[in-house]
Structure formats: C-alpha cells, structure tokens
C-alpha cells in the first residue's frame, strides 16, 4: 500500500460509494447498531454525568435544532451530538467493534441524528451514512491498533471523530475535496486519554468526537480547508498518535469487506472482559434455583488481563462495581442481573451481595483466553460444579438476537421514559429504513408530556 | 521533582496564588500581551479563514453573549472564543513565547474576553487570570518541549487548552478540586497537528484551544469530573503526547520566575526565522534611499533551519510568501514592509518584487545562529555593503517598545475598522488595569455603525 493519498482515497470512497453497493446483511446490522445505540442513549439520559454536562453547556448552547434523547431539552446540533454521545456511553452498555474496542455508534449516530433533526433525511440515506461512518472509524482504528491504544489513547474518541465527520460529510453531500478537508479537520481534533477511564470524561470522549466530527463536516462544507494528507503525512494522525500503522487496513477491500458488519452489542453494562463470568453465573443461577443460597465458594479462573482490569475486591460505589469481577459474579448468581441496575451504589453495598462476593476468588491462568472463563462453585455440603464459558453471549460467536436487543432496550429505556414511549420508540427504530424523516426518532424518545415541558 | 500530584499542585497554585504576588513588571507585560493580541485579532478579523469559520458555525452558535472582535457578530462565549482565537493568529503576527514557540495569548485571551462579556470582570482580575493562564500554558509547554513539538504537535493548541482552562477557572473562582478537573478536561482535549501548517487549520488550533479550554472550565464548574493526575499519570498528557517530560518546568519556581514575562511580539507578519532578514533589509533601505533601485544582488547567509523553513523561491500566493525569505528580503528593501500587507497575493506577484527577489540568494551556514543573519548587498556598479543582524527587532533582546506596538496595532487594525475606532480601542487596551468591566474592550473593537448592523 503506497503511503500517499490515503486520506484523499478514503474521502473519495466516502462520498462516491453507491448506497446500493452495501449488502443487505450489512444494512441490517446497521439497523441493529442504531437500535442498540438508541436504547443506550435513552437508558443513560438521566445519569449524573449527563446532568453535569448539560448544566455546563446549556448557557452557551444554541437552541431548538435537535433533541436530547430521553429528556427533551432542545439544543443546537453540535451540543446535542455531545450530550447524546455522552449518554449513549455512560452506562458502558453500548456497542463494541471487538478488534479495536471502539464503541462505534456513540460518535457516529450521535452526530448524524442531531444533524438529521436540523436538515431532514430519509432512513435509507441515514443508514448509508451511518454505515460509512462506522466503516471509516473502525478502519482507521484497525490501522493503528493496538499500538495507538497501548500508547494511551481512548480510541473511541480518536477514531470516532473521523467516523462522525465521514458520516455527516456523506449525509451533507460534500464533494471529494471538502470531504478530505473534513477528515483533516477531524484529524487535528483527535483526542481522548485512557487516563480518564473511571471518570465522567470517559463518556465525554464519544460525545466530543460526535460534536467535533460534526463541526469538521460543517466547517469543510463552508470552505474551511485543511491538509489533504491528514492521516498519512509525516506529521499526520497515524505518525503522531501511533507508533505503527498499516494503511491497508484503511483502504484494503473497502466496500467489499465490512467492519461495520462486525459490530457487537453488550448484554451486560460493564467492560467486555467480565461478560463471560456474568454469562456463566446467570446460567448457573437458572439451573441452581434456590441452591444459590447454599454456595460456600466461587472460584474463577481467567486470563491475567481480566483480573488486571477488574480486580477490585471491595467496590464501594456503582462505578467501582464495574471493575469488580467478584461483584459481577455475586450479582449474577443472586439476582441474575448484569444490566445497569447491577452496577449501582445500592448493589455495591447490598449486604447479601457483599457476603457472596467475599466468597468469590479469582486466579490468573494464561492458558485461558481473554474472552473465556472457568467457574467452579462449591456448596456448603462440599459438592462442586464447574462451568466453562468459551465465548460469552454478545460476542461475535454468540451475538444478541433482535429479541435480546429488545429486552435490553426495553429494560434500560423503560426505567427512564416508561414502557409506552419505549415500546413505540423501539418499533420506530426497527423501521429505520422506511422512515421518511429520521429526526422523528429523536422526538419519539421523549414522552409526550415531558417533551412539551422541556421546550 | 516527585511525579505525583503535578496536576493538583498546579491547580492549587492557579486558584490560590494572590493577585498582589504578581510583580508590577509582569503585570505590565500582561497588558502588552493583551494589547498586541487585540490588535492582531482585529487585524485578522476580515481574513477568509475567519469568514469560513463563521459561515460554518453560525447556524449552531448560541447568540448575543460575546462579540467577534473587529466585526461585531455576537455569538455564545465558546464560539466567540473560537473565532477570536482564529483571527488573532491568522496573520502569523501574534505573540511568541520563544522557548516553546507557543503563541500564548490566542488560547488564553480569546477565552477570557469572551467570558468577560458574559460575566463582567474588572481589569485587574482579568489581568491576573490572563497572566496565570499564560504561565500555565508556557510551563506545560516547557515541560515537554522540544520532544512534544518534534513529534508533530502544534504546541499552541495542545498547551493552549490548559492555559485557557486555567485562566477561566481562575476568573470563575473554581475551587482546587474543580480546577484540577478543568485541567483534566483540558488534557483530554489536547490536540492540533503540525501537518496543518499552511492551511486554515493552523489558526483553528488556538481558537479551538480557547473554546475547549473554556468549556473545560465551565464543565468543571458544573461538577463534571476528570482524572486528578491528567498531566502526570502513566496514560496522562505528558506520557501520551511526548517522549520526555520535566515536571520541574511546571512547578519549579512557580510564582517566582514568570514565563509570562518572557512573551515577545512579532514586528513582522511571518515566522520568526525570517525576522532578522526583514529587520536588516529595512535598516538598509532607510540608509540607501533610492539606491535600492540599483541593487544587482542580495546574498543572505543564515542557519540551515532558516532556509529549510523559508526556502520557497517563487511564491505564487500571499500564504506562500510567508515561507519565502527571498520575497521577504525584496519586500523589505523595496517597500520597507513586513506587515500583513507584505504577504498578500498582490505582493507575491508584483513585478518589481518578483524582479528583486530573483536577485536574492541564500546560503546555509551552521556558524550563524538561528536568530541571526548576514546580508550582503551588491550594486550594479560593483560596490558591496554588509549588514549583520545578531538579534532581530521583536526578540527578547530587542523587544518592541510600547510605541512600536502601537504602530503595529494601528496599521493592521486601521485597515479593518478604521483609524478612529482603532485609536480609541488602543487607548482602552492600555487602560486595562483600570477598567471596571473588561467586556467593554470587545464592544469597542467594532465601529459604532457596524456594531448596530451586526446585532
């Protein structure tokens, strides 16, 4: 792969690739991506992080162009993209491109939907732009992963800003030159440090990528120029933000092999490394029934990385429970819960969960895959059973069905906007390809009464 | 220097350092910093880059909180900070912290003045915040320079966002914890690639740093949290964006040795490496009078870096002339001009300038300092004279006087807003420490009639 004109060739593909060149199966995955993102954005809408973000930016926001999902405040397109990107990620429940750990929809869908409220667009055009944006984002991620991530960049922020710019640039109908500029304006805003994990800034990253990527597209549309080699130049994105790159990951098989088709959706509201444990413990709970009350010990064996990331023995807050495999195992065994309600301050301090998590031990075992776990349960009478999870539910090998996506959506969104709004919103999301005006989705995310009150 | 709590200690200094602990000489340099920045922002206000930026963001901006300098559009604080940061840098005529090549005022003053229109503040409090912000910005720059810059980061963007956050956080009266968060939210937005030099995105960087730093301060004020070790953590700013750091440059002598007192102001509207040549050629022109028309050859000797950066033989556009030492020498000799009017499309193609620049040659000489030049002029009759410039006007050794700053301001701002508005604005800028409401400065940058029309 020649190292020149990467950015221009990518931009040319973004603006020229025919919508009907996208396979039907990829389009269907795109609808699932939108569906899952919407459920997460509504589910996270009342989180303290979103409250603080809104309190900080509201005095400065333009008004009445787009809708804060699940709440109803109406702000300008860019600030709406920021807030919806935050809420879609804040519960750690969103989608994952497993090759790069990018959460693709947050930056891309948050930018697109806010823009679609401002300038109406059909469901088919929206879906095309969404898939192209996710494709750009994941491919740029692939080209620098894992070195870029290992260096300390939160790749959802740094690759996400390209995805948002590409998606909106496509939707706006930019020409090749302006699309190249948009990618350049995105590149020079690429940011987000992994040091922020565990703070509100983690979910700020996809929101900010959505906002900045959208701004890049609008600036380029207005003639604001940038380098034409923003990705590949000696002082461009790939060289400055990574120690290695492979541009074949960006342009190779573009439009033929779809990274956007590899998106996956979390069944549990925490990092993917805990998912096998929750999956296995939920299975055991279903089989054991009331016997879970007679558990004497739970012994987990997992890859060292899993324990490095989730080894918090005595979590005190909801946020800390997301980094405790002990808590996750106990909560799945006792309550069967891996949803956002499993990771709350209440759950962190519930006596029965604290008691059981103290019976959970974990050992590192390099012979076990990062995506696997071995669970041994010992009962008070000395009996033992073992469960091996090779790949958890939600992985590419065991993807969530549409029905499971609905159950996830309904649970988290129902807590925020109620069952009725949730039900009609879900139905509308599935009908994305038929919608004449996608902006209707955003407005449908808010219960009637609240929508009126917020305006 | 211990490598913990750098961010927290810096934040504590920002919020607690007593205003009266700043020496009078430093405060006077702060006024000169504001004065020079204002002249540049007004002088750049009608540049195409500013037109394009405004066209891109206006549909999404909030309204009527702050003033686009020299023009009169009124936008929200954050977008105003963006636009004024762009216009203050777009002519390459702004201030320079020579140790890091940071242009300090763009990020800091652009954020502060926009905020001061929204929440009134006195000249003394504004000046204190400005100096503290510039100090933070330059010290963070010092801690990672030159490795950070060499890696490809435009340091005015990456260090500038900290400066803007610190300055506004001080002006808002954040407590230590919130100031620490503000620095963290700034850190995770640090961005700007040197690849963008030569495009509109170069001046986008200080503007975006102003806007994002201001947003960091407002978000932190609203309780939006971040890492408390954003600078020094293993995956924090210094480690991720540089290959070396020295935290003593941040905390050592803080409040005693002032980097903000080392600010310098460009006499010429181009990169500093050309300045010795322009200075020397202007001196020669004054001595030679009409003899400049009988020049047969001009021979420059300069450090190799100078020619690497400015070796464009046949510039075709105004932007390209900024990278042509040949053009700069010719224009200074023939017209005595190094101001923005020397670097226009007209100047690039003026026959008499083209003719003279073709008589200019330049040779690399490692024995000559980067900040020096040797100029030899040969006349048609064979006579030769030589001029050695050890340090150019505008350097720390030969700083611009207040009178020279006024001449610079008057020339560039007068072209945009006329002599009358320029004169009263200059007078008001010098009176910064006495102003009861600094926001008046912004409103005074717009001629009366235009101000009414823009609102």
């Amino acid at each position: 792969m020649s190292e020149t004109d990467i950015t221009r060739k990518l931009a040319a593909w973004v603006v020229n690739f025919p919508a009907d060149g996208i396979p039907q199966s990829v389009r269907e995955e795109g609808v699932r991506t939108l569906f899952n993102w919407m459920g997460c954005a509504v589910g996270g809408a009342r989180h303290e992080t979103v409250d603080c973000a809104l309190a900080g930016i509201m005095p400065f926001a333009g008004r009445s162009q787009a809708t804060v999902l699940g709440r109803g405040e109406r702000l300008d397109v860019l600030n709406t993209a920021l807030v919806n990107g935050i809420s879609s990620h804040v519960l750690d429940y969103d989608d994952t491109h497993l090759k790069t750990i990018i959460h693709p929809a947050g930056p891309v869908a948050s930018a697109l939907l806010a823009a679609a409220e401002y300038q109406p667009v059909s469901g088919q055009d929206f879906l095309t732009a969404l898939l192209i944006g996710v494709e750009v984002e994941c491919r740029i991620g692939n080209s620098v992963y894992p070195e870029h991530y290992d260096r300390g960049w939160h790749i959802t922020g740094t690759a996400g800003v390209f995805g948002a710019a590409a998606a909106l640039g496509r939707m706006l109908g930019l020409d090749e030159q302006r699309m190249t500029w948009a990618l350049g304006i995105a590149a020079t805003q690429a940011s987000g440090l992994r040091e922020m994990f565990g703070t509100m800034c983690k979910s700020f990253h996809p929101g900010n990528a959505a906002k900045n990527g959208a701004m890049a597209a609008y600036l380029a549309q207005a003639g604001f120029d940038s380098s034409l080699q923003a990705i590949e130049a000696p002082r461009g994105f790939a060289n400055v933000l990574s120690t290695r790159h492979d541009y074949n990951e960006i342009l190779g098989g573009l439009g033929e092999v779809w990274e956007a088709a590899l998106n996956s959706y979390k069944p549990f509201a925490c990092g993917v490394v805990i998912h096998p444990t929750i999956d296995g413990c939920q299975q055991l709970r279903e089989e054991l029934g009331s016997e879970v009350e007679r558990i004497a010990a739970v012994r987990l064996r997992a890859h060292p990385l899993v324990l490095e990331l989730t080894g918090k023995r005595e979590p005190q807050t909801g946020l800390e429970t997301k980094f405790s495999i002990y808590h996750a195992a106990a909560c799945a065994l006792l309550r069967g819960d891996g949803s956002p309600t499993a990771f709350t301050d209440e759950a962190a301090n519930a006596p029965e969960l604290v008691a059981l998590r103290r019976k959970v031990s974990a050992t590192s075992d390099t012979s076990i895959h990062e995506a696997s776990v071995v669970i041994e349960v010992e009962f008070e009478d000395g009996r033992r059973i073992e469960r091996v999870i090779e790949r958890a539910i939600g992985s590419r090998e065991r993807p969530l069905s549409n029905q499971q996506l609905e159950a996830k959506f309904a649970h988290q969104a129902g807590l925020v906007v109620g069952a009725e709004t949730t039900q009609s919103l879900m139905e509308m999301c599935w009908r994305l390809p038929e919608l004449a005006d996608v902006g209707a989705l955003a407005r449908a995310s808010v219960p009637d009464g609240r929508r009126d009150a917020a305006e």
Side-chain angles (χ1 to χ4, degrees), chain A:
Chain A
M1 179 68 52
S2 156
E3 300 212 346
T4 60
D5 285 341
I6 306 296
T7 309
R8 273 198 272 211
K9 287 173 182 164
L10 182 62
W13 180 79
V14 167
V15 302
N16 295 324
F17 189 78
D20 60 11
I22 303 176
Q24 183 57 27
S25 61
V26 177
R27 296 188 83 82
E28 284 167 12
E29 200 62 63
V31 175
R32 283 160 52 88
T33 292
L34 182 282
F35 183 94
N36 181 71
W37 168 81
M38 177 64 86
C40 292
V42 174
R46 290 287 166 189
H47 194 280
E48 182 193 4
T49 302
V50 179
D51 291 340
C52 288
L54 274 169
I57 63 164
M58 280 291 273
F60 313 108
R63 295 298 154 114
S64 291
Q65 289 173 343
T67 307
V68 177
L69 298 173
R71 299 178 60 114
E73 290 93 341
R74 285 179 60 79
L75 314 177
D76 65 273
V77 170
L78 301 178
N79 280 301
T80 303
L82 171 67
V83 177
N84 290 340
I86 290 173
S87 67
S88 75
H89 188 59
V90 74
L91 298 175
D92 292 303
Y93 209 19
D94 48 349
D95 53 342
T96 309
H97 177 250
L98 290 164
K99 284 159 76 172
T100 55
I101 337 182
I102 289 172
H103 305 290
V108 175
S110 305
L112 278 186
L113 185 58
E117 285 193 85
Y118 176 59
Q119 291 171 308
V121 61
S122 74
Q124 289 292 357
D125 288 347
F126 182 96
L127 184 55
T128 298
L130 176 75
L131 287 163
I132 284 176
V134 169
E135 192 67 16
V136 166
E137 176 182 29
C138 292
R139 282 172 167 266
I140 288 177
N142 284 345
S143 75
V144 293
Y145 190 87
E147 288 80 0
H148 168 74
Y149 189 79
D150 291 345
R151 188 161 177 94
W153 293 106
H154 187 191
I155 192 167
T156 296
T158 53
V161 69
F162 288 102
L168 185 52
R170 168 79 186 210
M171 206 161 82
L172 294 173
L174 299 188
D175 61 24
E176 287 185 24
Q177 174 165 280
R178 280 163 205 256
M179 190 67 240
T180 310
W181 291 345
L183 292 177
I185 303 169
T188 208
Q189 296 180 88
S191 58
L193 302 170
R194 282 175 61 195
E195 167 61 17
M196 297 298 151
F197 287 9
T199 79
M200 291 181 179
C201 279
K202 178 166 187 272
S203 46
F204 176 72
H205 296 159
N208 211 34
K211 178 180 128 206
N212 292 340
M215 181 168 69
Y218 287 124
L219 283 172
Q221 185 182 42
F224 202 92
D225 71 17
S226 80
S227 162
L228 301 176
Q229 290 89 29
I231 296 172
E232 70 276 15
R235 287 172 179 147
F237 168 82
N239 285 301
V240 177
L241 280 79
S242 184
T243 51
R244 187 200 59 87
H245 51 73
D246 177 0
Y247 299 132
N248 191 48
E249 294 281 355
I250 298 179
L251 297 180
L254 193 55
E256 295 164 13
V257 182
W258 285 85
E259 292 298 309
L262 303 180
N263 209 1
S264 70
Y265 313 97
K266 287 185 183 177
F268 312 122
C270 58
V272 290
V273 289
I274 305 188
H275 290 200
T277 296
I278 298 174
D279 187 6
C281 289
Q282 284 188 341
Q283 291 181 27
L284 286 166
R285 171 191 158 80
E286 287 202 8
E287 292 167 24
L288 295 173
S290 62
E291 278 198 293
V292 295
E293 287 160 28
R294 290 190 289 280
I295 290 175
V298 179
R299 301 186 190 94
L300 308 173
R301 280 190 292 137
H303 189 273
L305 177 71
V306 176
L307 303 186
E308 181 193 326
L309 293 172
T310 66
K312 197 169 277 289
R313 285 248 41 138
E314 292 288 340
Q316 304 296 312
T317 66
L319 182 58
E320 288 183 354
T321 60
K322 295 192 185 231
F323 303 95
S324 175
I325 201 168
Y326 311 102
H327 169 82
C331 194
L333 282 166
L334 268 191
R335 297 184 175 179
D337 195 3
S339 83
T341 51
F343 303 99
T344 60
D345 291 353
E346 181 277 326
N349 298 291
E352 72 281 11
L353 289 175
V354 172
L356 183 53
R357 84 180 179 221
R358 288 179 178 161
K359 296 179 184 170
V360 181
S361 61
T363 38
S364 289
D365 186 338
T366 53
S367 72
I368 297 175
H369 190 277
E370 287 172 23
S372 305
V373 72
V374 178
I375 306 168
E376 184 189 74
V377 173
E378 182 174 327
F379 295 94
E380 290 161 355
D381 61 8
R383 269 184 309 125
R384 296 180 183 193
I385 56 171
E386 188 181 85
R387 175 64 44 113
V388 178
I389 300 293
E390 289 290 346
R391 292 295 181 274
I393 180 74
S395 64
R396 283 308 301 168
E397 292 81 0
R398 295 176 55 206
L400 292 192
S401 66
N402 285 358
Q403 198 176 2
Q404 287 169 316
L405 281 178
E406 283 202 10
K408 172 184 172 181
F409 190 130
H411 178 66
Q412 65 174 328
L415 293 171
V416 176
V417 296
E420 193 181 337
T421 298
T422 298
Q423 189 59 38
S424 61
L425 179 60
M426 288 199 299
E427 286 167 14
M428 199 185 284
C429 285
W430 287 134
R431 287 192 290 106
L432 172 67
E434 300 141 43
L435 296 179
D437 174 6
V438 173
L441 275 178
R443 297 182 285 276
S445 76
V446 185
D448 285 346
R450 198 183 301 160
R451 188 157 65 233
D452 298 340
E455 281 197 25

Coordinates of all heavy atoms in Angstrom, one line a residue, chain A residues 2-11 140 162 176-177 179-188 225-241 245 247 250:
Chain A
S2 N 0.8 2.0 -1.1 CA 1.5 3.3 -1.1 C 1.1 4.2 0.0 O -0.1 4.1 0.5 CB 1.2 4.0 -2.5 OG 1.4 5.3 -2.3
E3 N 2.0 5.0 0.5 CA 1.6 5.8 1.7 C 1.2 7.2 1.3 O 1.3 8.1 2.1 CB 2.8 5.8 2.7 CG 3.1 4.4 3.1 CD 3.7 4.3 4.5 OE1 4.0 5.4 5.1 OE2 3.7 3.2 5.1
T4 N 0.8 7.4 0.1 CA 0.3 8.7 -0.3 C -1.2 8.6 -0.6 O -1.7 7.6 -1.0 CB 1.1 9.3 -1.5 OG1 0.9 8.4 -2.6 CG2 2.5 9.4 -1.2
D5 N -1.8 9.8 -0.4 CA -3.2 9.9 -0.8 C -4.2 9.0 -0.1 O -5.2 8.6 -0.6 CB -3.4 9.7 -2.3 CG -2.9 10.9 -3.1 OD1 -2.8 12.0 -2.5 OD2 -2.6 10.8 -4.3
I6 N -3.8 8.5 1.1 CA -4.7 7.7 1.9 C -5.9 8.5 2.2 O -7.1 8.0 2.0 CB -4.0 7.2 3.2 CG1 -2.7 6.5 2.9 CG2 -4.9 6.3 4.0 CD1 -2.7 5.3 2.1
T7 N -5.8 9.7 2.7 CA -6.9 10.5 3.1 C -7.8 10.8 1.9 O -9.0 10.7 2.0 CB -6.4 11.8 3.8 OG1 -5.4 11.4 4.8 CG2 -7.5 12.5 4.5
R8 N -7.2 11.2 0.8 CA -8.0 11.5 -0.3 C -8.7 10.3 -0.9 O -9.9 10.5 -1.3 CB -7.1 12.1 -1.4 CG -6.9 13.6 -1.3 CD -6.5 14.3 -2.5 NE -5.0 14.3 -2.6 CZ -4.3 15.2 -3.2 NH1 -4.9 16.2 -3.8 NH2 -3.0 15.2 -3.2
K9 N -8.1 9.2 -0.9 CA -8.8 8.0 -1.4 C -9.9 7.6 -0.5 O -11.0 7.2 -1.0 CB -7.8 6.8 -1.6 CG -6.8 7.0 -2.8 CD -5.8 5.9 -2.8 CE -4.8 6.2 -4.0 NZ -3.6 5.4 -3.8
L10 N -9.7 7.7 0.8 CA -10.8 7.4 1.7 C -11.9 8.4 1.5 O -13.1 7.9 1.5 CB -10.2 7.4 3.2 CG -11.2 7.1 4.3 CD1 -11.7 5.7 4.1 CD2 -10.5 7.3 5.6
A11 N -11.6 9.6 1.4 CA -12.6 10.7 1.2 C -13.4 10.4 -0.1 O -14.7 10.5 -0.1 CB -12.0 12.1 1.2
I140 N -9.9 3.1 10.4 CA -8.8 4.0 10.9 C -8.3 3.4 12.2 O -7.1 3.3 12.5 CB -9.3 5.4 11.0 CG1 -9.4 6.0 9.6 CG2 -8.3 6.2 11.9 CD1 -9.9 7.5 9.6
F162 N -13.2 10.9 13.3 CA -13.2 10.7 11.8 C -14.6 10.1 11.4 O -15.1 10.4 10.3 CB -12.1 9.7 11.5 CG -10.7 10.2 11.5 CD1 -9.9 9.9 12.6 CD2 -10.2 10.9 10.5 CE1 -8.6 10.3 12.7 CE2 -8.8 11.4 10.6 CZ -8.1 11.1 11.7
E176 N -15.5 15.6 -3.0 CA -14.3 14.9 -2.6 C -13.3 15.8 -1.8 O -12.7 15.5 -0.8 CB -13.5 14.3 -3.8 CG -14.2 13.1 -4.3 CD -13.4 12.4 -5.4 OE1 -12.1 12.6 -5.4 OE2 -14.0 11.7 -6.2
Q177 N -13.1 17.0 -2.4 CA -12.2 17.9 -1.7 C -12.6 18.3 -0.3 O -11.9 18.3 0.7 CB -12.0 19.2 -2.6 CG -11.1 20.2 -1.9 CD -10.6 21.3 -2.8 OE1 -9.6 21.1 -3.5 NE2 -11.3 22.4 -2.8
M179 N -14.7 16.7 1.6 CA -14.7 15.5 2.5 C -13.2 15.3 3.0 O -13.0 15.0 4.1 CB -15.2 14.3 1.7 CG -15.4 13.1 2.6 SD -16.8 13.3 3.8 CE -15.8 13.1 5.3
T180 N -12.3 15.5 2.1 CA -10.9 15.4 2.5 C -10.5 16.4 3.6 O -9.9 16.1 4.6 CB -9.9 15.6 1.3 OG1 -10.4 14.8 0.2 CG2 -8.5 15.2 1.7
W181 N -11.0 17.7 3.4 CA -10.8 18.7 4.4 C -11.5 18.3 5.7 O -10.9 18.5 6.8 CB -11.5 20.0 4.0 CG -10.7 20.7 2.8 CD1 -9.5 20.4 2.4 CD2 -11.2 21.8 2.0 NE1 -9.2 21.2 1.3 CE2 -10.2 22.1 1.1 CE3 -12.4 22.5 2.0 CZ2 -10.4 23.1 0.1 CZ3 -12.6 23.5 1.1 CH2 -11.6 23.8 0.1
A182 N -12.7 17.7 5.6 CA -13.4 17.3 6.9 C -12.6 16.3 7.6 O -12.5 16.3 8.9 CB -14.8 16.8 6.5
L183 N -12.1 15.3 6.9 CA -11.3 14.3 7.6 C -10.0 15.0 8.2 O -9.6 14.6 9.3 CB -10.8 13.2 6.6 CG -11.9 12.3 6.1 CD1 -11.4 11.3 5.1 CD2 -12.7 11.6 7.2
G184 N -9.5 16.0 7.6 CA -8.3 16.7 8.1 C -8.7 17.5 9.4 O -8.0 17.5 10.4
I185 N -9.8 18.2 9.3 CA -10.3 19.0 10.5 C -10.6 18.0 11.6 O -10.3 18.3 12.8 CB -11.5 19.8 10.2 CG1 -11.2 20.8 9.0 CG2 -11.9 20.7 11.4 CD1 -12.4 21.5 8.4
A186 N -11.1 16.8 11.3 CA -11.3 15.8 12.3 C -9.9 15.3 12.9 O -9.7 15.3 14.1 CB -12.0 14.6 11.7
A187 N -9.0 15.0 12.0 CA -7.7 14.5 12.5 C -7.0 15.5 13.5 O -6.4 15.0 14.5 CB -6.7 14.4 11.2
T188 N -7.1 16.8 13.2 CA -6.4 17.7 14.0 C -7.2 18.0 15.3 O -6.7 18.8 16.2 CB -6.1 19.0 13.3 OG1 -4.9 19.6 13.8 CG2 -7.2 20.0 13.3
D225 N -10.5 24.9 5.0 CA -9.6 23.9 4.4 C -8.7 23.3 5.5 O -8.6 23.8 6.6 CB -8.9 24.3 3.2 CG -7.8 25.4 3.5 OD1 -7.4 25.5 4.6 OD2 -7.4 26.0 2.5
S226 N -8.0 22.2 5.1 CA -7.1 21.5 5.9 C -6.0 20.8 5.1 O -6.1 20.9 3.8 CB -7.8 20.5 6.8 OG -8.0 19.3 6.1
S227 N -5.1 20.2 5.7 CA -4.2 19.3 4.9 C -5.0 18.3 4.1 O -6.0 17.9 4.5 CB -3.3 18.6 5.9 OG -2.7 17.5 5.3
L228 N -4.4 17.9 3.0 CA -5.1 16.8 2.2 C -4.5 15.4 2.5 O -4.9 14.4 2.0 CB -4.9 17.1 0.7 CG -5.5 18.4 0.2 CD1 -5.2 18.7 -1.3 CD2 -7.0 18.5 0.5
Q229 N -3.5 15.4 3.4 CA -2.8 14.2 3.8 C -2.9 14.0 5.4 O -1.9 13.7 6.0 CB -1.4 14.1 3.4 CG -1.2 14.0 1.9 CD -1.1 15.3 1.1 OE1 -0.7 16.3 1.7 NE2 -1.6 15.3 -0.1
A230 N -4.0 14.3 5.9 CA -4.1 14.4 7.4 C -3.8 13.1 8.1 O -3.3 13.1 9.2 CB -5.4 15.0 7.8
I231 N -4.1 12.0 7.5 CA -3.9 10.7 8.1 C -2.4 10.3 7.9 O -1.8 9.9 8.9 CB -4.8 9.6 7.5 CG1 -6.3 10.0 7.9 CG2 -4.5 8.2 8.1 CD1 -7.3 9.1 7.2
E232 N -1.9 10.4 6.7 CA -0.7 9.7 6.4 C 0.6 10.6 6.3 O 1.7 10.1 6.2 CB -0.8 9.0 5.0 CG -0.9 10.0 3.8 CD -2.3 10.5 3.5 OE1 -3.1 10.4 4.4 OE2 -2.5 11.0 2.4
A233 N 0.4 11.9 6.4 CA 1.6 12.8 6.4 C 2.6 12.5 7.5 O 2.2 11.9 8.5 CB 1.1 14.2 6.4
P234 N 3.8 12.8 7.3 CA 4.8 12.6 8.4 C 4.4 13.1 9.7 O 4.7 12.5 10.8 CB 6.1 13.3 7.9 CG 6.0 13.3 6.4 CD 4.5 13.4 6.1
R235 N 3.7 14.3 9.7 CA 3.2 14.8 11.0 C 1.7 14.8 11.0 O 1.0 15.6 11.6 CB 3.7 16.3 11.1 CG 5.1 16.3 11.5 CD 5.7 17.7 11.5 NE 7.1 17.8 11.9 CZ 7.9 18.6 11.4 NH1 7.6 19.5 10.5 NH2 9.2 18.6 11.8
G236 N 1.1 13.7 10.4 CA -0.3 13.5 10.4 C -0.7 12.5 11.5 O 0.1 12.1 12.3
F237 N -2.0 12.2 11.5 CA -2.6 11.4 12.6 C -1.9 10.1 12.9 O -1.5 9.9 14.1 CB -4.1 11.1 12.2 CG -4.7 10.1 13.1 CD1 -5.3 10.5 14.4 CD2 -4.8 8.8 12.8 CE1 -5.8 9.5 15.2 CE2 -5.4 7.8 13.6 CZ -5.9 8.2 14.8
A238 N -1.6 9.3 11.9 CA -1.1 8.0 12.2 C 0.3 8.1 12.8 O 0.7 7.3 13.7 CB -1.1 7.2 10.9
N239 N 1.2 8.9 12.3 CA 2.5 9.0 12.8 C 2.6 9.7 14.1 O 3.4 9.3 15.0 CB 3.4 9.8 11.8 CG 3.8 8.9 10.6 OD1 4.3 7.8 10.7 ND2 3.4 9.3 9.4
V240 N 1.8 10.7 14.3 CA 1.9 11.5 15.6 C 1.2 10.7 16.7 O 1.7 10.7 17.9 CB 1.3 12.9 15.4 CG1 1.3 13.6 16.7 CG2 2.0 13.6 14.4
L241 N 0.1 10.0 16.4 CA -0.7 9.4 17.5 C -0.5 7.9 17.6 O -1.1 7.2 18.4 CB -2.2 9.7 17.4 CG -2.6 11.0 17.9 CD1 -2.4 12.1 16.9 CD2 -4.1 11.0 18.3
H245 N 1.5 1.8 11.9 CA 0.3 2.0 11.1 C 0.3 1.0 10.0 O 1.4 0.6 9.5 CB 0.1 3.4 10.6 CG 1.3 4.0 9.9 ND1 1.6 3.6 8.7 CD2 2.2 4.8 10.3 CE1 2.7 4.2 8.3 NE2 3.1 5.0 9.3
Y247 N -1.8 1.1 6.4 CA -2.8 1.7 5.7 C -3.7 0.8 4.8 O -4.8 1.1 4.4 CB -2.3 2.8 4.8 CG -1.6 3.9 5.6 CD1 -0.3 4.4 5.3 CD2 -2.2 4.4 6.7 CE1 0.3 5.4 6.0 CE2 -1.6 5.4 7.5 CZ -0.3 5.9 7.1 OH 0.3 6.8 7.9
I250 N -7.0 0.5 6.1 CA -8.0 1.5 5.8 C -8.6 1.3 4.4 O -9.8 1.3 4.2 CB -7.3 2.9 5.8 CG1 -6.8 3.2 7.3 CG2 -8.3 4.0 5.4 CD1 -6.1 4.6 7.5

